[in-house]
Amino acid sequence: QVQLVESGGGLVQTGGSLRLSCVVSGGTFSTYHMGWFRQAPGKEREFVAGIRWSDSGTYYRDSVKGRFTISKENAKNTVYLRMNSLKPEDTALYYCAAATSAGKYYYTNRYDYAYWGQGTQVTVSS
């Protein structure tokens, strides 16, 4: 019954910004390790950003460091992804995901996550 719903995607020009949101229901959000992934047509789903449940520590793929910021608001069961200085290569369907299993510090593999949203489209034009 755990459900994740993303929103906030859209069409922007190079250098623009977007803020994605993911609302989680049906589970204990505050104990989940949350992540954002993205997938372009014909390509593998790739890790973008993660946030640990224990201390809210964050980590990112190299190509988005300094431009993207992941955060969460436990009271609203919501995780965010602020994207600045967007580039055409950021164009993809962005997915929110939740992991409930323990044993790792960094969750960068899609198979680490048990729950997924339906995705929100981000398109960056040049």
Side-chain angles (χ1 to χ4, degrees):
Q1 293 186 347
V2 176
Q3 295 183 349
L4 287 69
V5 180
E6 305 97 332
S7 63
L11 174 64
V12 298
Q13 290 187 307
T14 297
S17 299
L18 285 173
R19 188 196 192 195
L20 307 184
S21 298
C22 173
V23 179
V24 181
S25 62
T28 309
F29 173 79
S30 61
T31 68
Y32 293 166
H33 192 110
M34 302 297 300
W36 285 95
F37 287 74
R38 65 187 182 187
Q39 187 169 23
K43 292 190 175 183
E44 297 270 318
R45 189 170 301 185
E46 64 182 20
F47 170 80
V48 177
I51 184 166
R52 298 192 298 272
W53 74 268
S54 56
D55 61 357
S56 295
T58 60
Y59 51 99
Y60 307 83
R61 71 179 298 110
D62 289 341
S63 62
V64 308
K65 287 181 179 178
R67 299 189 298 119
F68 290 12
T69 302
I70 185 173
S71 62
K72 64 176 181 176
E73 191 170 358
N74 288 340
K76 295 184 178 295
N77 285 6
T78 302
V79 61
Y80 306 95
L81 184 67
R82 175 67 179 180
M83 304 182 293
N84 295 325
S85 302
L86 284 163
K87 306 174 181 179
E89 52 262 44
D90 294 319
T91 296
L93 188 64
Y94 282 70
Y95 295 92
C96 178
T100 60
S101 60
K104 292 185 177 182
Y105 194 73
Y106 296 106
Y107 289 74
T108 58
N109 192 308
R110 63 179 294 182
Y111 301 108
D112 292 330
Y113 294 82
Y115 306 106
W116 294 84
Q118 293 300 304
T120 184
Q121 179 67 39
V122 171
T123 302
V124 185
S125 64
S126 59

